[in-house]
Amino acid sequence: MNSFWSMSTSSGRKRSESEDKNVTGEVKASPPRTASAKKQLPSIPKNVVPITKPVSPVPSVQSTNGTHASYGPFYLEYSLLAEFTLVVKQRLPGVYVQPSYQSALMWFGVIFIRNGLYQDGVFKFTVYIPDNYPDGDCPHLLFDIPVFHPLVDPVTGELDVKRAFTRWRRNHNHIWQVLMYARRVFYKIDTTSPLNPEAAVLYEKDVQLFKSKVVDSVRLCNSHLFDQPKIADPYAISFSPWNPAVHEEAREKMLSQKKKSEDQHGKGLHVSGLSWWSPGSVQPFSKKRNPCTPNSMKCCTHCDVRK
């Protein structure tokens, strides 16, 4: 039995008839069951600090997840830990996130765009998770600097996440999907019901002017790349200019690990032996045999000639 659960004393095992009878044949009356005869959670450990709530620019919603009020914060923290594990396993290309030190309800992230209209863009963002997660609304994603994009609010920098997640479904929708959506909007432009009407109209009517404004937006974001994080948090993502004394050693380690991984991968793909397939053919044993030379003293694998 799981030690996390404890049974009340009145909910013991059912006695047999032989146990209910004494030696004189009298039947003992079983004590009536009480309403307290059910599984109960142990008390909350002392000196345990529950998860804290970050200062979010989006309105909060009261928790309705049905979990006992005393255990809500711990259940929430477990859910967020599982969500971050899923993000790590997905290995989203060009997307990096880090939960806040102050609160697990706030994640810092950055997206690197490698091609397309927003090529070379480096966009830092913050994810705000509702305190009734995963039974509430979908998480909110706000860029530190508003990106010129039809789905990004030009004032607040918030991405229209509800477009893709109109109703957040527990155990079906996950935070890694929000991050993947945030990456995809820069490669596939959608102009329906935009948060930035100007960007949507330019994309539809004047693509060249739209590209020009996108380039300016990318430059603006990159120019503030080395700024201090807006939120004072030791886990907030920050960048610093290249310093060989600091970064060269880390760079060499990363390159050596990559080379080692490629070498191991190459060795794993090496196949020894002979192929009996002719180039460009799908017919087995279509390759012609080469007879052994007369001076050969060894058995050739291409024919049955032995000397």
Side-chain angles (χ1 to χ4, degrees):
M1 180 180 293
N2 192 337
S3 59
F4 188 73
W5 298 95
S6 62
M7 301 293 292
S8 60
T9 56
S10 60
S11 59
R13 64 180 178 89
K14 184 178 180 181
R15 294 187 179 184
S16 62
E17 294 181 358
S18 60
E19 292 175 336
D20 288 340
K21 294 181 179 180
N22 56 15
V23 293
T24 60
E26 296 179 356
V27 179
K28 295 181 180 179
S30 300
R33 291 181 177 269
T34 61
S36 62
K38 60 181 181 180
K39 295 180 179 179
Q40 296 181 349
L41 294 171
S43 59
I44 297 293
K46 296 181 179 180
N47 301 327
V48 177
V49 180
I51 188 171
T52 57
K53 181 179 179 181
V55 180
S56 171
V58 296
S60 61
V61 182
Q62 188 176 2
S63 178
T64 58
N65 56 19
T67 308
H68 192 277
S70 301
Y71 286 85
F74 302 97
Y75 170 78
L76 174 60
E77 189 168 7
Y78 174 82
S79 299
L80 295 176
L81 179 60
E83 287 290 340
F84 185 72
T85 302
L86 288 176
V87 172
V88 174
K89 290 182 178 180
Q90 291 298 322
R91 297 183 178 181
L92 305 178
V95 181
Y96 301 88
V97 291
Q98 172 69 37
S100 167
Y101 174 82
Q102 300 175 2
S103 172
L105 291 170
M106 180 170 58
W107 293 11
F108 304 108
V110 60
I111 299 178
F112 295 88
I113 306 300
R114 295 163 180 168
N115 52 62
L117 296 175
Y118 293 85
Q119 184 175 358
D120 298 330
V122 182
F123 308 127
K124 292 195 290 185
F125 62 88
T126 305
V127 177
Y128 295 95
I129 304 170
D131 57 354
N132 60 342
Y133 187 86
D135 297 307
D137 199 1
C138 61
H140 297 263
L141 190 149
L142 281 75
F143 291 100
D144 289 9
I145 299 178
V147 186
F148 187 77
H149 191 284
L151 303 185
V152 178
D153 190 294
V155 178
T156 63
E158 182 173 4
L159 175 66
D160 187 6
V161 177
K162 291 186 67 66
R163 173 187 300 266
F165 306 93
T166 54
R167 179 176 174 270
W168 189 264
R169 291 181 291 175
R170 179 178 182 175
N171 297 329
H172 180 79
N173 297 128
H174 299 282
I175 297 178
W176 73 264
Q177 296 170 333
V178 176
L179 301 176
M180 179 60 78
Y181 170 73
R183 175 184 179 272
R184 188 178 62 203
V185 299
F186 292 106
Y187 294 96
K188 186 178 181 180
I189 310 299
D190 185 6
T191 59
T192 56
S193 302
L195 293 183
N196 188 339
E198 179 189 2
V201 171
L202 289 181
Y203 183 79
E204 295 289 344
K205 304 294 184 180
D206 192 343
V207 178
Q208 295 302 323
L209 183 56
F210 176 81
K211 291 181 179 179
S212 177
K213 286 186 172 292
V214 166
V215 171
D216 294 339
S217 179
V218 169
R219 289 176 179 173
L220 177 63
C221 293
N222 291 349
S223 66
H224 292 276
L225 193 60
F226 301 133
D227 293 353
Q228 292 297 319
K230 293 184 176 181
I231 300 176
D233 191 288
Y235 288 173
I237 297 178
S238 61
F239 294 87
S240 60
W242 173 260
N243 183 354
V246 177
H247 303 123
E248 185 63 33
E249 182 180 357
R251 177 177 178 272
E252 292 298 331
K253 287 183 179 180
M254 289 189 292
L255 293 178
S256 61
Q257 291 176 356
K258 179 181 179 182
K259 186 176 184 303
K260 182 179 179 180
S261 177
E262 291 176 350
D263 293 342
Q264 292 177 349
H265 182 67
K267 291 179 180 179
L269 294 178
H270 178 69
V271 179
S272 59
L274 297 173
S275 174
W276 296 100
W277 298 72
S278 294
S281 173
V282 295
Q283 182 66 31
F285 303 104
S286 58
K287 187 175 181 179
K288 295 182 179 180
R289 297 183 182 183
N290 296 323
C292 294
T293 58
N295 297 328
S296 176
M297 298 299 296
K298 298 180 180 179
C299 175
C300 179
T301 57
H302 292 280
C303 65
D304 298 330
V305 178
R306 291 177 182 267
K307 291 293 289 180

